[in-house]
Structures are given as structure tokens and as C-alpha cells.
Amino acid sequence: MSVIELTVNDRSVRSEIAPRVHLGDFLRESEHLTGTHLGCEHGVCGACTVLVDGQPVRSCITFAVACDRQQVRTIEGFDDDELMARLRRSFSVHHGLQCGYCTPGMLITARDIVQRFPDADESRIRLELSGNLCRCTGYMGIVAAIKAVLADLKVNPIAQAPREPVRAAEKVAAVAPQTGATFETFAAAPVSPSTPAQAAATSNEQAPAAQRKGWTAIDDSFIVPFPLEKVWAFMGDLPSVTACLPGAELTEHSEDSVKGKIAIKFGPMSANFAGAARLERDDAAHRAVMRGAGQDNISRSRANGDVTYALSSEADGNGTRVAVTLEYMLQGPLAQFSRSGLVKDFVRRMIADFGARITAQLGGTDAPLAIAASQKFNVGSLIWSVVWGRIKRLFGKEG
Ligand code: FES
Ligand code: FES
């Protein structure tokens, strides 16, 4: 059992729970907040959406222990929220619900859309809402309700500050024309920002993830049994490095930039991100940063990510440690997956696989690369091994 302390709807909560309990069950069964509905329990339908530290997450795929020391807000926590009151009224007026099962999650997502996209048109609303499923209404009423609230806010703005801060990085993204766009090019960082907005964007890009709203950071490392200089030279060869990333495919590259795609199947969700990245290398420090961005044209989700890797020789002379920091932000329907503990474990497993493939490549073993090149990255088996690892840790065995 684990002890967690968190704030639920402005109330301090301390609880002893099993690590496997997801946030949705914790809220419903321990806190009796049954407004959070559970539908698929696979992270697909969005019925269980709540806010964690102001961001919508799917409580069915978020472990309660992962919310230790965080702020959780369920549908019951919006009773005195003016924006939510307008959305509730609008859902009624525009027939945005029938059985109401999806409605708590729909309302929390709708409020997030209204806050992040004050100028959203219908296609933007439908895009952002596509992670929430309703089996009754056909969505016409839900979309109409959100459009009506957005129009009303133009003439009757809400005086009070929103309860949760709007995610700054996503607000910046909201002003860019994105609807229906396919990913074209990776914009090179401006040499010297000429406007305050550019300066802010540049400093945001280079700030650590912890300071970038909406970004998630994961640190990990692996050891490659080869000398530092050999590993460093290999890491500068972009086609070889890409070949070590499961599911990745290179379509174009120069010395310091790549274009390509990566296919991922996460349970019932498929994503095929196409994008580009730029590599910045510091030869003296044996440190490099790969900055990339891409879009999945199926779900219309967007991803921005920086992968930083720093090499150092192991003290015993047996190989090179590669310390990896992955910082990323997902926007759109897949965004709610980015914070779940399972996804973080999955990414760590990916980093470990990446290390194993580099070792195989440097050692002249091609088998893992053949698999990577020929196979769509089916996360299913990896997810199961991650889950199995968690279960073994739970019972005190090696993960
Ligand atoms: Fe369907 Fe959580 S219950 S996404
Ligand atoms: Fe019934 Fe949406 S109103 S599932």
C-alpha cells in the first residue's frame, strides 16, 4: 500500500491505496465522487476525464499514486465555476446530451477547449473533441453548445480569472493556422528573434520542460559497451540512429536535420506521426539535442519533442553511459495519454530498447535493425511487458 496526499476539489485528501488503483476508481470508490464516469477503462472514450494540475487527463489510465501532491478537479468541483455553468446551460439548450453518461467528461473537455481556443471554429471544436465519445447524441448538439458559449463569451466575458491557468504553450499554438493542415516543414529556430513574441517563443523552446507549460520530461540512461568516441561518432550518423528507433522511418536527411515518420499502435489507438527534427551537437561536451515536431494525420494530434543525450565514460572503463532526457508535449486527441504513468514507463522501455539496438548496431549485429525496419511499432507487446514489470515490482520482484 502507498500513502498519497493530494487536493481533490480544493479539499486536502490523505489516503492509503494500492499502487495499481487508477484515479477513476480512487475518486469514485474512496472519495465517492461518482460524477466521474468510467466507460471503456482503456483511455479511449474520455468519459472519465478530470483535471490534474489544470490539465485534462483520463482517470482510467492514470494511477492514483501518480497524482501524489497534485491538484485534482472532478465535475463536482465546478459547482461555482461560471464558465462551467454557461457550458451546462448551453448543453441543455442545444440538446448536448441524452443519457448523460459521457457528459462529465464532455463538459471538462469542452471547458478546456473554450479556454485554450477562444476563436475556435467548428472544425477546431470537432478536432479537439475527438477524444471524447458519445453514443447517443451524434455530437451536433454538443458542438453547437460549445460554439454558443464561445460566441457568448465574446459579448459577455467572464470577469473572474479561470480557476486553472490556461496552458501558455498551447495558447501560443492556438493562434497558428492548424485546421486540416498536414505537417510540412520543421521551422528552423530564428537566428536572432526580432519581435518580443519571437523572443518569448525562443526562450520557451529552450527552457527546461519543467518550466514549459504542458510539457512532460522523462530522464533515463543506458550503457553501451563501447568507447565514448565510437558511440559519439555513431550518434552523429542520423540514418543509423533513426534505424535504432523502433517504428521510425527516415524520408530525408542532411547532416543536421531529418524528416521522417514513426508509426505507433497504442492499444486501440493508432498514430502515424510525420515530422522533422534538427540536431544540435556539442562535440566538446559530447552532448546533443534533437528538436523535432510532427503531426498524426489520423487523430490530428501534434507532438513537439526534444531529445537530449549526453555521453560519459563509465568509471570502470567498461563502456559509455548515454543519459537521455525526453521532453515532449502532445496536443489534440492523444494529449490526454501523455501524462499517464503507463505511458512514462512505456517511454522508458523504448529508451532501453533504443540502447539495445545501438549496442547491436555497433557490435555488427543486424537482427534487431531488420525487425525495426520491417515492422510497424506495435506497442501492444511492449505495453504488456511494462504492465508485467509493474506487477512484478508490486510484489517486490525484479521489474
Ligand atoms: Fe474511457 Fe477512461 S473510461 S477513457
Ligand atoms: Fe449518452 Fe453521450 S449522452 S453517451
Side-chain angles (χ1 to χ4, degrees), residues 97-102 134-137:
L97 69 153
Q98 287 184 40
C99 76
Y101 201 83
C102 68
C134 172
R135 60 189 172 183
C136 303
T137 67

Side-chain angles (χ1 to χ4, degrees), residues 14-83:
R14 189 172 193 279
S15 188
E16 190 174 279
I17 52 165
R20 67 176 177 277
V21 172
H22 67 57
L23 181 61
D25 276 349
F26 170 72
L27 292 169
R28 289 178 58 86
E29 291 170 16
S30 299
E31 298 304 307
H32 308 296
L33 293 166
T34 52
T36 299
H37 291 170
L38 295 173
C40 65
E41 295 197 66
H42 282 74
V44 176
C45 72
C48 64
T49 303
V50 299
L51 296 185
V52 175
D53 279 357
Q55 296 192 44
V57 304
R58 291 167 192 252
S59 59
C60 71
I61 55 168
T62 303
F63 288 119
V65 289
C67 300
D68 191 25
R69 293 189 293 279
Q70 300 196 354
Q71 306 261 346
V72 175
R73 188 166 301 281
T74 69
I75 194 68
E76 292 92 341
F78 291 99
D79 278 356
D80 58 356
D81 183 275
E82 170 61 19
L83 179 53

